[in-house]
Amino acid sequence: MRAALTWRDRAEQCIYDLAFKPDGTQLIIAAGNRLLVYDTSDGTLIQPLKGHKDTVYCVAYAKDGKRFASGSADKSVIIWTSKLEGILKYTHNDSIQCVSYNPLTHQLASCSSGDFGLWSPEQKSVSKHKTSSRITCCSWTNDGQYLALGMFNGIVSIRNKNGDEKVKIERPGGSSSPVWSICWNPSRDERNDILAVADWGQKLSFYHLSGKQIGKDRVLNFDPCCISYFTKGEYLLLGGSDRQVSLFTRDGVRLGTVGEQSSWVWTCKVKPDSNYVAVGCQDGTISFYQLIFSTVHGLYKDRYAYRDNMTDVIVQHLITEQKVRIKGRELVKKIAIYKNRLAIQMPEKILIYELYTDDSADMYYRVKEKIIKKFECNLLVVCSGHIILCQEKRLQCLSFSGVKEREWLMESLIRYIKVIGGPPGREGLLVGLKNGQILKIFVDNALAIVLLKQATAVRCLDMSASRSKLAVVDENDTCLVYDIHTKELLFQEPNANSVAWNTQCEDMLCFSGGGYLNIKASNFPVHQQKLQGFVVGYNGSKIFCLHVFSMSAVEVPQSAPMYQYLERKMFKEAYQIACLGVTDADWRELAMEALEGLEFETAKKDRKKHGENNQELFLADVYAYQGKFHEAARLYKRSGHESLALEMYSDLRMFEHAKEFLGSGDPKDTKMLIKKQADWAKDINEPKAAVEMYLSAGEHMKAIEISGSHGWVDMLIEIARKLDKAEREPLAKCAFYFKQLDNPGYAAETYMKVGDLKALVQLHVETHRWEEAFALSERHPEFKDEVYVPYAQWLAESDRFEEAQKAFHKAGRQGEAVRVLEQLTHNAVLESRFNDAAYYYWMLSMQCLDIAQENEGQQTEMLQKFHHFQHLAEVYHVYHFIQRYTEEPFSFHLPETLFNISRFLLHSLTKETPLGISKVNTLLALAKQSKALGAYKLARHAYDKLQGLQIPDRFQKSVELGSLTIRSKPFHDSEELVPLCYRCSTNNPLLNNLGNVCINCRQPFVFSASSYEVLHLVEFYLEDGITDEEAVALIDLEAPRVSKRENKWQEMMTDNVQSLKLDDSTDIIEDDDPFTAKLSFEQGGSEFVPVVVSRAVLRAMSRRDVLVKRWPRPLRWQYYRSLLPDASITMCPSCFQMFHTEDYELLILQHNCCPFCRRRIDESNQ
């Protein structure tokens, strides 16, 4: 392990704490009374944050990355958002010592000198708990259930989420050993929660959640100021008075130094899910390091040993996939493995292990020797009785007792070393140097043998099994292969990073590089396949590959090199390759090729490999290949393989000879012979004879295929009617050909015979025989989807979209019905058919309402779409009139109607303008009608708005002329045009910033769907507890109204005079209508106050004054009260649009339907 400094910065104040954003992109530093936010990628200071008035001691980030908190000596805690904005501040009675976020609930624990607080966003309050001592540190468990508090008096208190103490750990040092830093192991693999505790008694300890200590205290020899785990809990970081950050295992074994500093280290943390470490010091230095963990491993044949968790060694058997772990208590620096030996170098010693037994599958190792001595080396190699240490140019050979027996000094740096085997105590080593020299060294010989020298430095070496060839990978990524005896370069290949010879085949090697595995046999071209990593071994058909830290055995079929040898008729070499591992088909191919090449020995071996040892059978095959068919047949019969003779004669179309070998009339053989004869008849273009033979052999499928391919419908009918209904596959094939040959009637008869109703339905659908399909679906409702969905698709393809939409709807395919409608709507808008677009949007909204009724899971989404589509339907409905006015030469509407429509549309387009709607057309219509009706102020405003828009050329002159002439008119609007709110009697401006609502009471206006005048209707709502049915029943009661204001005559008698007097002294006007009292509201409020009525008010209402929009569930009904009962209003019972009765009746006469939803009106209803 080594640490590389990535970046460094210097603040003016001490760095007491730091925290990473969970995604690792930002680093928050507590420096003085400020927070510094850094970009972790390059150390750029993003922003300093000011909010505290005194030194910031602590900072912590929530796991969800949405907020972080900081605590200061000014006794306050500030919550910040991830956008670096302070959103909340609360205080304690003393300075804040530490803060920590719960990893699951995001509850914040903030600790001061005398208490600790728990804050969560849901509670909006801080619950505080007193403590007996100053809290110095805190940490939550992984599941967020418990909070550990480290105290200045040496006690660790474990609390639950409510702050109650559950466990109390009293450290032996007491108040003389303050607990300065604690941290729970974040590993998800640990079955128990483990707490790491570092105190100023210079000890590191570990505890279970129960308070039980794990192992003994670890002596540190410095005062620890900070402790933190890596994300997966495999390592610990500790920093403090020793002015450096140290890396420990999770068990507390020191592994090395991350970075030495010039002052105390107060804080150090690991960047989430990475090997980067941030360090903060007393002098304000901020350092950011990358930890680089090198791979420490060793390989010998099928055993691979590698370092795990820095202190353990795992030995893996690459063939059996068995693994064994050798646990250690010290840092593993080097590993070497050879046969039954394993050497592990640690900082102060080398351990030599051996296997318990000589069994090749044994995985149990025991310590053989210990060399208690510190060694510095680059490479380590172990042999049967020695270890070899490599240090730059020097090689040293030591016995297992640690005595140096031999030493070699090379001319250049040693780049590669490998044991290539040999007798025990006399093993050979292959050594590659930087200057290109390659040497062979024997451990019992002081002289090194130079095998060859090349011009480029060596990166990787391997020697073939017979020691006759040498493969080298140089620094230019070139694989070079030499003949060791002649020193001749045999061939070279580019793009190599490692190379290995096959231990079982002399002429095969493999090399990796550029994401590919390359296999080369002899001088043939390289065979490539994709593979990531480095090749480190090649044994038979297995290639051992190291990718990052993982070693795997890849099974590679040797077919490609085998066929390369076969192409050159090199049968013996091909046989050797096949022995490494090929498929059965490859073995057969090799045998046949060897026979054809008259290489009988190889062919014989192949057959033996394939499990065939009968000599007569082998000779019969040879006779057959030589054309001696009768001799071959006799040998087949003698060896008990008459079936092979039968097969041979059948293949040769010698059917008369074949019949001699039918044996005892085996029906299978007879059928096979007839089938082959039929095949032959088919091949010689005698299809009718072939059909008859196939039928006699019971091969109905083949007979049907021939009849179908030749279009013989009569033959197919005959076959189909003879077949039993249980023979479904042949009958289905007959039906297939009937359909293909355009005979759907016979296909239907066949499907009925089989009873395959589904196929029958599909037949009717495919042939567009819809009436038969509908009749079948009526009798069998389960096929409704199979009929109506294709029918709808067919209608859509025939441009009958509205019918298609209804068919989809009937089939229950609401999604498809909605999609067809959406496409129809989009097309209508693009083609400027805005009236159609309005109608389709209304239909879409009702479809969404149907889906909301049927599917509760989609209810919220569908209701949102319902309201959106209703709005769009209304907008396109009114824009249709604007578009006709601007595009067509004659106007079909009164100026007042166009004026109202333009205003309504502008008020409806406050947020966004839907596709196809032109603000220019709308403003132009408004400007012209306003000018014509005397609303000059509004006209001037409309012309001013038009100046800021892109106006088409055909309107340019008209707009410019209108803008000039309007300036000659008075700057006011005609009072007759001003709309009135029927709830509060307020005159509203013609252009309303709030949209189509009253500016005073915020009551939404109800418009006529024809003239778009404001109707004298007020919407009211029911009190809680009143159902729609009850409300309608109460309204229908029609309670009689008694007038409380009556003119009363009084008779008086005075002085014999009789007189009558009208009593108007008590001019009290009591409200005879309880609803009008409900119309009052609080003046000046910005919120809309709806009219809510009780049962009494409903009972007092007259049925003719109330209009009810009876929406289907889940929508509530809407109620409207007419304030001018004498003015009649009609509501469409389908779309619930309101009209003046006279307008509605006129529109019905013109269109015979509702102009909005196009509901047909029967003559009886008109």
Side-chain angles (χ1 to χ4, degrees):
M1 183 275 298
R2 63 186 179 87
L5 181 65
T6 304
W7 56 264
R8 176 171 281 166
D9 200 5
R10 184 78 174 260
E12 297 175 0
Q13 299 87 2
C14 172
I15 310 298
Y16 280 112
D17 201 5
L18 56 84
F20 281 97
K21 191 175 181 180
D23 63 5
T25 56
Q26 290 180 2
L27 176 65
I28 315 295
I29 304 283
N33 61 357
R34 297 186 304 166
L35 294 174
L36 305 178
V37 184
Y38 284 90
D39 185 333
T40 55
S41 61
D42 56 7
T44 305
L45 178 62
I46 298 172
Q47 187 178 336
L49 302 178
K50 297 178 182 178
H52 290 288
K53 298 174 182 176
D54 206 339
T55 305
V56 182
Y57 285 143
C58 49
V59 62
Y61 226 117
K63 283 283 185 185
D64 61 2
K66 292 180 180 177
R67 58 178 72 90
F68 61 93
S70 58
S72 165
D74 64 4
K75 306 177 184 178
S76 69
V77 175
I78 297 179
I79 312 292
W80 308 80
T81 68
S82 58
K83 296 179 181 177
L84 312 181
E85 299 167 345
I87 55 169
L88 183 77
K89 186 175 187 178
Y90 67 86
T91 59
H92 284 258
N93 294 327
D94 295 295
S95 62
I96 312 301
Q97 301 296 313
C98 54
V99 289
S100 178
Y101 270 103
N102 187 307
L104 293 186
T105 65
H106 310 306
Q107 187 180 25
L108 176 67
S110 54
C111 309
S112 72
S113 299
D115 65 357
F116 70 94
L118 298 172
W119 173 85
S120 64
E122 298 81 21
Q123 294 174 344
K124 304 293 184 186
S125 61
V126 182
S127 57
K128 295 182 180 175
H129 307 268
K130 293 284 185 185
T131 55
S132 58
S133 176
R134 171 184 164 193
I135 303 171
T136 57
C137 49
C138 61
S139 179
W140 288 95
T141 53
N142 291 336
D143 57 7
Q145 296 297 314
Y146 296 97
L147 173 69
L149 304 174
M151 309 281 198
F152 196 78
N153 60 4
I155 289 173
V156 177
S157 174
I158 298 178
R159 311 279 181 132
N160 63 13
K161 287 194 293 185
N162 300 322
D164 304 324
E165 186 171 75
K166 294 297 179 185
V167 179
K168 186 176 181 181
I169 302 170
E170 297 186 4
R171 305 273 294 147
S175 57
S176 62
S177 301
V179 175
W180 208 259
S181 189
I182 58 176
C183 191
W184 292 98
N185 189 328
S187 172
R188 301 286 177 189
D189 300 329
E190 293 285 348
R191 284 178 292 179
N192 301 310
D193 291 303
I194 295 174
L195 180 67
V197 179
D199 64 27
W200 276 15
Q202 301 193 346
K203 291 183 177 63
L204 171 64
S205 309
F206 298 92
Y207 292 89
H208 284 300
L209 180 60
S210 62
K212 183 181 178 183
Q213 187 169 355
I214 304 169
K216 296 180 180 179
D217 294 336
R218 279 73 164 171
V219 179
L220 297 174
N221 296 321
F222 66 90
D223 291 330
C225 297
C226 52
I227 185 170
S228 66
Y229 276 97
F230 274 56
T231 308
K232 294 180 181 175
E234 65 270 45
Y235 303 117
L236 266 172
L237 289 175
L238 270 172
S241 62
D242 61 345
R243 304 184 179 189
Q244 63 183 13
V245 177
S246 301
L247 183 70
F248 289 76
T249 66
R250 61 184 174 189
D251 299 323
V253 177
R254 191 178 186 279
L255 299 176
T257 301
V258 172
E260 294 186 357
Q261 311 298 324
S262 55
S263 63
W264 280 36
V265 175
W266 279 103
T267 179
C268 59
K269 297 279 175 64
V270 182
K271 180 182 173 183
D273 298 312
S274 74
N275 290 336
Y276 288 90
V277 174
V279 181
C281 300
Q282 175 81 30
D283 60 2
T285 303
I286 305 153
S287 305
F288 197 70
Y289 295 94
Q290 181 186 9
L291 300 190
I292 300 165
F293 295 93
S294 55
T295 307
V296 175
H297 59 133
L299 174 77
Y300 182 75
K301 291 191 175 177
D302 50 17
R303 287 178 189 263
Y304 176 61
Y306 61 95
R307 180 174 71 182
D308 189 48
N309 292 337
M310 304 296 283
T311 59
D312 297 350
V313 174
I314 294 177
V315 182
Q316 176 184 356
H317 197 292
L318 298 174
I319 306 298
T320 64
E321 292 295 328
Q322 284 182 290
K323 289 183 180 180
V324 63
R325 180 184 291 271
I326 301 172
K327 293 186 73 68
R329 303 277 302 160
E330 295 181 59
L331 174 67
V332 173
K333 297 180 72 175
K334 294 284 185 297
I335 299 173
I337 189 167
Y338 175 72
K339 291 186 177 177
N340 64 341
R341 297 282 190 264
L342 173 68
I344 303 172
Q345 183 189 9
M346 293 174 177
E348 304 292 335
K349 60 187 173 186
I350 294 178
L351 299 179
I352 314 294
Y353 290 83
E354 68 176 357
L355 286 171
Y356 271 80
T357 65
D358 293 332
D359 183 3
S360 61
D362 183 21
M363 292 296 288
Y364 294 98
Y365 285 87
R366 62 186 172 193
V367 176
K368 177 178 175 62
E369 299 288 348
K370 293 182 183 179
I371 304 176
I372 311 299
K373 189 176 178 182
K374 184 176 182 179
F375 294 99
E376 291 296 333
C377 66
N378 305 119
L379 300 167
L380 175 69
V381 174
V382 66
C383 300
S384 300
H386 301 85
I387 59 168
I388 314 296
L389 302 176
C390 168
Q391 179 64 26
E392 295 184 347
K393 299 181 181 181
R394 189 183 304 274
L395 277 179
Q396 291 183 333
C397 176
L398 279 71
S399 67
F400 285 167
S401 58
V403 177
K404 185 172 79 172
E405 293 186 357
R406 208 158 277 102
E407 183 174 283
W408 299 270
L409 190 63
M410 305 298 161
E411 296 177 7
S412 177
L413 290 175
I414 298 168
R415 295 288 296 273
Y416 192 86
I417 184 169
K418 182 176 185 176
V419 185
I420 55 173
R426 298 176 57 195
E427 291 88 357
L429 306 176
L430 203 58
V431 180
L433 305 184
K434 189 177 180 180
N435 66 359
Q437 247 187 10
I438 299 158
L439 305 102
K440 185 158 70 170
I441 295 173
F442 293 98
V443 296
D444 61 339
N445 193 329
L447 296 175
I449 303 166
V450 178
L451 294 178
L452 58 91
K453 184 172 182 180
Q454 59 179 30
T456 50
V458 175
R459 276 182 57 184
C460 181
L461 286 171
D462 198 21
M463 191 178 279
S464 66
S466 65
R467 307 286 192 270
S468 61
K469 294 177 185 175
L470 183 68
V472 183
V473 174
D474 68 6
E475 61 186 356
N476 298 325
D477 295 339
T478 303
C479 176
L480 305 108
V481 176
Y482 297 93
D483 184 306
I484 290 178
H485 304 300
T486 64
K487 308 293 190 285
E488 178 190 355
L489 176 65
L490 301 177
F491 59 84
Q492 64 182 42
E493 297 285 346
N495 302 319
N497 53 30
S498 63
V499 65
W501 286 97
N502 195 315
T503 55
Q504 296 182 23
C505 183
E506 172 70 18
D507 285 336
M508 285 191 72
L509 64 78
C510 67
F511 60 92
S512 57
Y516 284 91
L517 169 69
N518 304 270
I519 300 173
K520 188 171 178 69
S522 188
N523 290 319
F524 300 129
V526 168
H527 171 70
Q528 278 192 338
Q529 68 182 63
K530 284 192 173 182
L531 183 78
Q532 294 294 327
F534 296 84
V535 165
V536 292
Y538 190 9
N539 184 5
S541 62
K542 289 187 183 295
I543 291 175
F544 304 127
C545 173
L546 176 65
H547 182 47
V548 191
F549 300 109
S550 172
M551 178 71 80
S552 59
V554 181
E555 188 78 39
V556 181
Q558 305 299 313
S559 307
M562 186 198 82
Y563 283 110
Q564 287 177 329
Y565 280 115
L566 278 182
E567 284 174 10
R568 300 201 183 180
K569 307 298 182 187
M570 300 168 71
F571 299 110
K572 290 183 180 178
E573 291 82 354
Y575 175 76
Q576 287 179 350
I577 300 296
C579 289
L580 300 180
V582 293
T583 64
D584 286 348
D586 294 334
W587 275 114
R588 278 193 290 274
E589 186 66 24
L590 176 58
M592 294 308 165
E593 290 278 346
L595 275 176
E596 289 175 11
L598 303 179
E599 185 65 40
F600 298 120
E601 194 60 37
T602 302
K604 194 173 175 182
K605 285 181 185 176
D606 292 338
R607 294 179 71 94
K608 280 187 178 179
K609 278 278 183 182
H610 204 52
E612 296 177 6
N613 296 310
N614 192 318
Q615 296 292 332
E616 286 188 340
L617 186 61
F618 176 57
L619 190 57
D621 283 347
V622 174
Y623 281 151
Y625 278 106
Q626 289 177 341
K628 300 175 181 178
F629 304 118
H630 300 305
E631 291 88 338
R634 281 196 295 273
L635 286 174
Y636 281 134
K637 186 173 183 178
R638 195 188 304 166
S639 63
H641 290 79
E642 289 93 341
S643 59
L644 292 175
L646 179 65
E647 186 180 344
M648 178 185 72
Y649 280 130
S650 300
D651 290 343
L652 293 167
R653 308 288 187 264
M654 299 165 72
F655 297 109
E656 296 305 317
H657 290 295
K659 287 175 184 175
E660 297 173 15
F661 292 90
L662 282 175
S664 58
D666 188 347
K668 284 185 183 178
D669 289 341
T670 307
K671 274 190 178 183
M672 187 270 288
L673 185 62
I674 296 171
K675 178 177 167 295
K676 289 213 173 189
Q677 204 166 353
D679 289 342
W680 177 62
K682 179 184 169 186
D683 292 342
I684 63 172
N685 209 14
E686 290 286 344
K688 283 197 180 289
V691 168
E692 289 171 5
M693 288 180 193
Y694 279 132
L695 287 173
S696 63
E699 291 284 333
H700 297 113
M701 288 295 286
K702 292 211 171 187
I704 292 166
E705 283 172 6
I706 294 172
S707 302
S709 60
H710 286 82
W712 298 335
V713 177
D714 293 340
M715 182 68 79
L716 286 171
I717 294 169
E718 186 183 339
I719 295 170
R721 288 178 177 169
K722 282 182 181 177
L723 284 170
D724 187 79
K725 66 180 180 181
E727 297 189 68
R728 299 177 68 87
E729 192 179 354
L731 283 169
K733 198 72 176 174
C734 284
F736 167 77
Y737 280 116
F738 284 138
K739 280 197 295 182
Q740 198 177 63
L741 298 170
D742 199 21
N743 281 274
Y746 291 122
E749 179 190 328
T750 309
Y751 284 133
M752 288 295 289
K753 181 176 181 178
V754 181
D756 193 347
L757 294 178
K758 187 173 182 180
L760 185 58
V761 167
Q762 287 175 347
L763 173 69
H764 289 326
V765 168
E766 287 171 12
T767 55
H768 299 161
R769 298 162 75 180
W770 299 114
E771 289 188 9
E772 290 93 329
F774 293 147
L776 198 58
S777 70
E778 288 297 322
R779 294 196 300 274
H780 302 279
E782 65 270 20
F783 298 120
K784 186 177 170 185
D785 276 5
E786 277 84 350
V787 174
Y788 280 100
V789 173
Y791 177 58
Q793 290 168 341
W794 176 71
L795 288 170
E797 288 165 6
S798 306
D799 292 340
R800 293 158 67 182
F801 290 104
E802 290 186 29
E803 293 175 70
Q805 188 271 331
K806 288 173 185 172
F808 275 128
H809 190 61
K810 191 169 182 180
R813 295 294 185 91
Q814 304 290 9
E816 282 86 347
V818 168
R819 275 195 287 277
V820 170
L821 265 181
E822 284 176 341
Q823 189 61 51
L824 276 171
T825 309
H826 185 69
N827 293 345
V829 171
L830 292 180
E831 295 165 12
S832 298
R833 294 184 289 108
F834 298 107
N835 210 20
D836 289 340
Y839 170 59
Y840 295 143
Y841 268 125
W842 176 78
M843 288 181 68
L844 262 176
S845 69
M846 301 312 290
Q847 292 270 305
C848 292
L849 196 54
D850 288 345
I851 296 170
Q853 280 181 286
E854 295 167 6
N855 191 337
E856 286 188 12
Q858 290 183 279
Q859 193 174 96
T860 305
E861 180 192 352
M862 286 298 123
L863 286 179
Q864 286 176 352
K865 284 191 171 186
F866 165 76
H867 291 300
H868 177 62
F869 291 149
Q870 282 271 322
H871 167 73
L872 288 177
E874 206 159 39
V875 168
Y876 281 115
H877 179 68
V878 295
Y879 185 69
H880 168 68
F881 304 127
I882 300 287
Q883 195 249 356
R884 287 190 69 183
Y885 170 70
T886 54
E887 300 294 333
E888 297 180 8
F890 301 106
S891 174
F892 295 90
H893 296 280
L894 295 171
E896 291 84 352
T897 302
L898 287 169
F899 175 73
N900 290 331
I901 283 172
S902 305
R903 285 179 50 252
F904 174 83
L905 188 55
L906 277 180
H907 289 153
S908 300
L909 301 178
T910 52
K911 292 183 179 176
E912 58 181 19
T913 305
L915 177 69
I917 289 181
S918 166
K919 271 197 174 181
V920 171
N921 288 358
T922 308
L923 285 167
L924 187 60
L926 179 62
K928 287 185 176 181
Q929 301 311 319
S930 300
K931 185 178 176 184
L933 294 171
Y936 302 121
K937 182 179 175 182
L938 180 58
R940 186 177 292 193
H941 173 82
Y943 278 122
D944 288 345
K945 283 279 187 185
L946 280 168
Q947 298 299 327
L949 300 174
Q950 187 174 354
I951 302 167
D953 293 340
R954 57 201 172 98
F955 295 143
Q956 189 73 42
K957 189 174 179 181
S958 173
V959 170
E960 289 173 357
L961 187 60
S963 300
L964 288 173
T965 55
I966 196 63
R967 298 185 185 278
S968 65
K969 303 295 182 183
F971 191 68
H972 64 78
D973 293 327
S974 172
E975 292 184 3
E976 294 176 2
L977 300 172
V978 174
L980 174 70
C981 173
Y982 285 94
R983 177 177 177 182
C984 64
S985 301
T986 302
N987 285 329
N988 278 258
L990 291 173
L991 205 61
N992 189 343
N993 291 332
L994 298 178
N996 290 317
V997 298
C998 175
I999 59 168
N1000 184 29
C1001 64
R1002 305 296 197 271
Q1003 180 76 30
F1005 294 133
V1006 183
F1007 293 91
S1008 164
S1010 57
S1011 65
Y1012 281 86
E1013 295 175 357
V1014 176
L1015 295 175
H1016 44 82
L1017 295 175
V1018 174
E1019 185 178 1
F1020 62 89
Y1021 299 84
L1022 306 179
E1023 276 188 353
D1024 291 342
I1026 304 176
T1027 64
D1028 292 325
E1029 292 76 10
E1030 183 187 358
V1032 172
L1034 289 169
I1035 294 168
D1036 287 342
L1037 284 176
E1038 289 283 353
R1041 298 182 182 174
V1042 179
S1043 176
K1044 295 181 181 178
R1045 182 176 180 177
E1046 296 176 359
N1047 297 331
K1048 297 179 182 178
W1049 292 90
Q1050 292 183 348
E1051 183 180 350
M1052 293 183 291
M1053 296 288 292
T1054 55
D1055 297 332
N1056 299 319
V1057 177
Q1058 184 180 15
S1059 62
L1060 288 173
K1061 182 184 177 182
L1062 178 62
D1063 183 12
D1064 57 354
S1065 60
T1066 55
D1067 191 14
I1068 300 169
I1069 301 173
E1070 293 189 17
D1071 191 356
D1072 64 344
D1073 185 359
F1075 182 77
T1076 56
K1078 294 283 183 180
L1079 297 182
S1080 62
F1081 64 97
E1082 186 181 344
Q1083 292 286 345
S1086 61
E1087 295 294 326
F1088 167 56
V1089 180
V1091 179
V1092 181
V1093 299
S1094 63
R1095 289 179 174 85
V1097 177
L1098 288 168
R1099 202 177 290 114
M1101 289 183 184
S1102 171
R1103 185 68 187 87
R1104 67 190 181 86
D1105 298 344
V1106 178
L1107 293 168
V1108 184
K1109 291 185 177 181
R1110 299 172 186 253
W1111 293 110
R1113 297 293 179 193
L1115 293 178
R1116 291 295 302 268
W1117 290 0
Q1118 288 178 278
Y1119 299 85
Y1120 296 87
R1121 168 71 186 272
S1122 172
L1123 297 182
L1124 298 174
D1126 295 334
S1128 178
I1129 294 173
T1130 301
M1131 180 178 72
C1132 173
S1134 176
C1135 61
F1136 303 128
Q1137 290 292 328
M1138 311 284 194
F1139 302 85
H1140 286 297
T1141 300
E1142 298 89 345
D1143 294 345
Y1144 186 65
E1145 290 173 350
L1146 179 61
L1147 290 166
I1148 292 300
L1149 287 171
Q1150 289 174 344
H1151 305 291
N1152 197 32
C1153 65
C1154 170
F1156 191 82
C1157 65
R1158 302 184 183 180
R1159 174 179 174 269
R1160 304 295 295 178
I1161 307 297
D1162 297 328
E1163 290 186 9
S1164 59
N1165 294 336
Q1166 287 187 11

